[in-house]
Amino acid sequence: MRITVLVLFFCSNVFFAQNLHVIYSNKNSKFTTFQEDLFITKENTISVRDSIVKNTFDEKNAMSNNQAVFFTKEKLHKIIYYKNSIPKIIIKDYLGDNVYFVEDKLPTLNWNTNYTETKNISGFICNKATTVFRGSKLTAYYTKDLKFSAGPFKFHGLDGLILEISEDGNTEFNSWIAKEVDTNYNGDFKFPNVNNVSLISLKDFLQIKEKKKEEDFNKIISKAPAGTVVTRHKILRNEIEKKYEWE
């Protein structure tokens, strides 16, 4: 008897890429947009927020509406997020020209994936998920076709790569969306070694940052004409991280 064995191979759209490069557009304020690059290899996962900002502030229109907006004149640097040891990450950040390596122990992200909505982003079908991260309610779209539990900034923890994420109720900023996805990246990006750097906690870094802001503000006020009355109001954080674990 002759027996024929039929073997069926099922093809899918799931990519198990060795090297991945995603370019995100990060709208981080009402007037400013940055590019953020995510690089993933077998050994490393790193995000790089570019130092070049796209500023859409309309000065003439703002002046006609009696608005006052101030932008820093300090040199901007690339901010690098080393994400090899989630939930702990290391951030290379700057205050002025002083470099800091900041250790951030991320809180657990409890994702709700019980949604039927999908969206096509950069050619990938993405599923909806929601969570709360440091005081912000977020909606993300992730693709199961890219089996990386990663995303831009500090986002992670889904069964696939996050290609879009934004703050609920905020249509102007605090958003990331993938513009380009290279599933076979062969570029020459060099992953820096941070094994022996001196680390500072995120809490301590933010305290130093706040102190510097106060010093910069006092310098500006010191140059005001005599008799100038300065009224200060507490401004709530409007960035994506609104409340930290120690607060």
Side-chain angles (χ1 to χ4, degrees), residues 161-189:
L161 186 69
I162 298 171
L163 294 184
E164 180 180 320
I165 188 165
S166 59
E167 181 184 10
D168 293 356
N170 187 346
T171 60
E172 294 185 304
F173 57 94
N174 284 346
S175 63
W176 288 257
I177 185 168
K179 296 297 184 180
E180 297 180 31
V181 180
D182 185 352
T183 59
N184 192 27
Y185 176 66
N186 293 314
D188 56 356
F189 179 78

Side-chain angles (χ1 to χ4, degrees), residues 70-156:
F70 300 92
F71 293 97
T72 179
K73 293 184 179 180
E74 288 187 351
K75 178 183 177 181
L76 295 175
H77 298 271
K78 290 184 178 180
I79 299 177
I80 304 178
Y81 301 87
Y82 303 86
K83 302 187 283 190
N84 290 351
S85 302
I86 294 290
K88 184 184 78 173
I89 66 171
I90 297 175
I91 309 163
K92 183 181 180 181
D93 206 338
Y94 293 80
L95 290 178
D97 287 325
N98 296 318
V99 62
Y100 292 84
F101 288 92
V102 184
E103 183 180 60
D104 187 1
K105 297 178 181 178
L106 300 176
T108 300
L109 292 177
N110 296 311
W111 290 100
N112 179 7
T113 58
N114 190 27
Y115 297 96
T116 59
E117 292 96 322
T118 61
K119 184 184 290 190
N120 190 312
I121 303 172
S122 294
F124 293 90
I125 299 300
C126 298
N127 298 90
K128 179 180 177 179
T130 58
T131 192
V132 176
F133 173 68
R134 288 178 170 165
S136 293
K137 294 181 179 180
L138 305 175
T139 295
Y141 283 88
Y142 66 104
T143 177
K144 296 179 181 180
D145 291 338
L146 295 171
K147 289 294 185 179
F148 301 98
S149 184
F153 191 52
K154 303 177 182 181
F155 306 121
H156 65 282

